[in-house]
Structure formats: structure tokens, C-alpha cells
Amino acid sequence: MLAAARRIAPKAAALSNEIEAGRRLPTELTRELAEAGLYRMVMPAALGGFELHPLTVIDVLETLARADAATGWCVMTGALTAMTAAWLPDEAAKHIFGRPEVMTSGVTAPMGRAEFVGGSYYLTGWWPSASGGAHCQWLAAGAVVTENGRPKMMRKGVAEMRLFFVPREEVILHETWRASGLCGTGVGNMEITNVRVPAERSLSLTTRPRVRGPLYDFPCLGLPSVGGPAVALGVARRALDELLVAAHQERRLLLGQRALARWSALQEAVVACESVLRGARAYLLEAAHAAHEAATRREVSLHHRAALRLSCTHATQSAVRIVRELVDATGEVGGAREDLLQRCLRDVQAVSEHAAFVRPTVEPPEDVLPGVPAAERTPFAMS
């Protein structure tokens, strides 16, 4: 998989301007990504997946995002959505994921309503920001289960929530993505109206997966969470690459005649950013590896979950600071839209604005800091 990512990365980089202008990945690129198996990285082996270690997944996504952020992001959402095959019944999983070229995406947040009638669900709702939906054969949508028009309660105060797989042709996609970053991800809002979904094409991530193994005993929301930071770190590495290329090409500063490579402030910025990037990446890899090792023993603790959450948010926010520092250091803030550093800044900022990586996600859960009452705690520092 890593070799495939390295082979495809130069093509994605060459198409980067086209991807941003077209606001989606070209069909030939998505086809090559699918044929290489990149959307099957964490699918169960029984379905033709590879069940890759999380550290390899991070490597693959970094490699693609370093070439083109939108490509890395779309592979991330497609591959990690496919992980849910481990929760589906055998026949449904084979029906949805059986063909090698299948791509899936969607929105797991329970923003719809699924009325349970006669063993099936009738799904209705509106879900924002589904990445790459135009290239998918199936879309996943989270919803609250209702019965006779009222939420079906799992226990007092907790309604049942499930994820539903719907054929692409039964979903209306609205192209509403007008953000300045990750322009080429083909994000659209999903609209579904009273679509019948057989019960076997739904799942609950709060239950044990049908397929067991360390990848699926990993915190179920932890594995998808490592994807965004991997993309952000890849973009930050691209920014450093571009700046060093410019410096070696004797590119001149707008504010003087000295070349970039000879400006001490820029040298200091590069050294500092390199250190922050390597440190943030190392922490992410450490936390992901520790959680995976614990999952092999089925001993994932609250401390593993907290460390994973903190490392993901820290890596993403660190990547933003790195790119912003590099843009500031070159004196090119407000430069042309076509400037690659400016694009890196827009892209990494868009990653950081995802709900999974904003600063409140590092508030420590109960009992992570022994002996410190919850009311007296302060949020974890970002660095």
C-alpha cells in the first residue's frame, strides 16, 4: 500500500491545480486509487481488505497528502468508512464491499431519522459535508432510530443510533462546499428522503464488531481520528519541501535582495518547524502504536483513548502553526492564490476545523488525571 501511494503521489501532485479548480478528484485518479487497493486498507481480510497497522495507514495518508491534500483526504474518508464492514453481517458486507473498485463515504453523525417498520428502516435526513460522494457507489448516514415517530430508547436518556448504507442513486448530493481549503474533496451535503434500508445494511458502532482483531478492537472512533492528523502532517511536510526548493533556487524575498536560504529568520523558522513537525508526528505514532498494542490484548484503557485524542489534536494544530510560520517567514502573506505555500495554509486550516480536531477535543475525560477532581482540572495544553 505504501509503495502504491508513492507511485501515485507524483500523479496527484501533477493534477493538483486541476483538482482544486475542478473541486473534486479526476475520475481517472479515483479509479487508480481504487485499483491500487487504497480504499481497502483497513477492511477485513475476509472481504479482500488488508487490515493494515494504524502506523502504516498514517504513512500512506501522509504520502498522498504531501502530494495533494484533497487526494489524501478523500482516500482517508473512503478507507476509514470501509472499516465499518467489520460490523456488518457477512452477506451485507459482501454486497456492499465485494467489488475491488467500490468506494464509500458519508457522515456518521446521527443527523437523520430512521423509522423502524416491519424489520426495515425508512431513512430521512440532511447530512452536511460528505467528502468524495460523487465517486462513491454507497454512502453511509448516521441517524437516530424512531418507532411510531418517537426515538427508540436503548436506556433511560439514550436513544438508539445507527449507521445506514444507502446506494448512491438513492441519495441527492448538493454541491455546497465553498471553503477556501481542501477545495478538491468533492464535499457535498447528502439529502435522503424516506429511503428503505434493510436492517442488515445498518450497524451500531457501540456494539462489538463481527470481525475481531486488534484493528477492530482499537478505539472505534480512534482509528478514523488518526486520518485527519496524517493528512495535516503531510501538508505541513509539503510546505517545508516547497520552501526549501524555493530557497535552493535562490528565490528572492519581496522585502530585500538576499536569497531565502541566506535569511537568518527563515533558517530559524525552518529549524523550529522541522522540530515541531517531527515531535508532533512522533507523539501521534507513539499513541497510535500503544493503543494498537493494547488492542491486541483487548486492554484498551481510558488512558490510551485520551492519549490518542490528545496526540491527534496536537498533531493537527501543530501542522497549522508550522505552515502559518513558514508563510509568515517568507514575507508572502496575502500572496497569489496559486502560491503553493498559500494553498498548504488553506488546506491545513480546513483539516483543523473538523470537529474532531478543534481545541475542546483535548479536554480530559473523567479519571485520566488521578487525584484531581474534575471541577478543578484545566484543559490539556496543546504543546
Coordinates of all heavy atoms in Angstrom, one line a residue, residues 81 84 106-111 127 140-143 161-163 190 205 221:
T81 N -14.1 4.8 6.2 CA -15.5 4.5 6.2 C -15.7 3.0 5.9 O -16.5 2.3 6.5 CB -16.3 5.2 5.1 OG1 -16.2 6.6 5.3 CG2 -17.8 4.9 5.0
T84 N -16.0 0.0 8.6 CA -17.3 -0.4 9.2 C -17.8 -1.8 8.6 O -18.7 -2.4 9.2 CB -18.4 0.6 8.9 OG1 -18.6 0.8 7.5 CG2 -18.0 2.0 9.6
G106 N -19.4 9.2 3.6 CA -20.6 9.5 4.3 C -20.4 10.4 5.5 O -19.3 11.0 5.7
V107 N -21.4 10.4 6.3 CA -21.4 11.2 7.6 C -21.9 10.3 8.7 O -23.1 9.9 8.6 CB -22.2 12.5 7.5 CG1 -22.2 13.3 8.8 CG2 -21.8 13.3 6.3
T108 N -21.1 10.0 9.7 CA -21.5 9.1 10.7 C -22.4 9.8 11.8 O -23.1 9.1 12.5 CB -20.3 8.5 11.4 OG1 -19.5 9.5 12.0 CG2 -19.5 7.6 10.5
A109 N -22.3 11.1 11.9 CA -23.1 11.8 12.9 C -24.5 11.5 12.7 O -25.1 11.6 11.6 CB -22.8 13.3 12.8
P110 N -25.3 11.3 13.8 CA -26.7 10.9 13.7 C -27.6 12.1 13.4 O -28.4 12.5 14.3 CB -27.0 10.2 15.1 CG -26.1 10.9 16.0 CD -24.8 11.2 15.2
M111 N -27.5 12.6 12.2 CA -28.3 13.8 11.8 C -29.6 13.5 11.1 O -30.3 14.4 10.7 CB -27.4 14.7 11.0 CG -26.0 15.0 11.7 SD -25.0 16.2 10.9 CE -25.8 17.7 11.4
W127 N -27.5 15.6 5.7 CA -26.2 15.4 6.3 C -25.2 16.3 5.6 O -24.9 16.2 4.4 CB -25.7 14.0 6.2 CG -26.5 13.0 7.0 CD1 -26.2 12.5 8.2 CD2 -27.7 12.4 6.6 NE1 -27.2 11.6 8.6 CE2 -28.1 11.5 7.7 CE3 -28.5 12.5 5.5 CZ2 -29.3 10.8 7.6 CZ3 -29.7 11.7 5.4 CH2 -30.1 10.9 6.5
A140 N -22.8 6.3 3.6 CA -23.2 6.0 4.9 C -23.8 7.2 5.6 O -23.3 8.3 5.4 CB -22.0 5.4 5.7
A141 N -24.8 7.0 6.3 CA -25.5 8.1 7.0 C -25.9 7.7 8.4 O -26.6 6.6 8.6 CB -26.7 8.5 6.2
G142 N -25.6 8.5 9.4 CA -25.9 8.2 10.8 C -27.3 8.8 11.1 O -27.7 9.8 10.5
A143 N -28.1 8.0 11.9 CA -29.4 8.5 12.2 C -29.9 8.0 13.6 O -29.4 6.9 14.1 CB -30.4 8.0 11.1
M161 N -28.9 4.8 18.1 CA -28.3 5.5 16.9 C -27.6 4.4 16.1 O -26.9 3.6 16.6 CB -27.3 6.6 17.3 CG -28.0 7.8 18.0 SD -26.8 9.0 18.6 CE -26.1 8.2 20.0
R162 N -27.8 4.5 14.7 CA -27.2 3.5 13.8 C -26.6 4.2 12.6 O -27.0 5.4 12.3 CB -28.2 2.5 13.4 CG -28.8 1.7 14.6 CD -29.7 0.6 14.1 NE -29.0 -0.5 13.4 CZ -28.4 -1.5 14.1 NH1 -28.4 -1.5 15.4 NH2 -27.8 -2.5 13.4
L163 N -25.8 3.5 11.9 CA -25.2 3.9 10.6 C -25.8 3.1 9.5 O -25.9 1.9 9.6 CB -23.7 3.8 10.7 CG -22.9 4.4 9.5 CD1 -23.0 5.9 9.5 CD2 -21.4 3.9 9.6
M190 N -25.6 15.6 1.9 CA -26.5 14.5 1.5 C -27.9 14.7 1.9 O -28.2 15.1 3.0 CB -26.0 13.2 2.1 CG -24.5 12.8 1.8 SD -24.1 11.1 2.4 CE -24.6 11.2 4.1
L205 N -21.9 1.2 16.0 CA -20.5 1.2 16.4 C -20.4 1.1 17.9 O -19.2 0.9 18.4 CB -19.8 2.5 15.9 CG -19.6 2.6 14.4 CD1 -19.1 3.9 14.0 CD2 -18.7 1.5 13.9
L221 N -13.7 5.0 17.3 CA -13.6 6.3 16.8 C -12.1 6.8 16.8 O -11.9 7.9 16.4 CB -14.5 7.3 17.6 CG -16.0 7.0 17.5 CD1 -16.8 8.0 18.3 CD2 -16.5 7.0 16.1

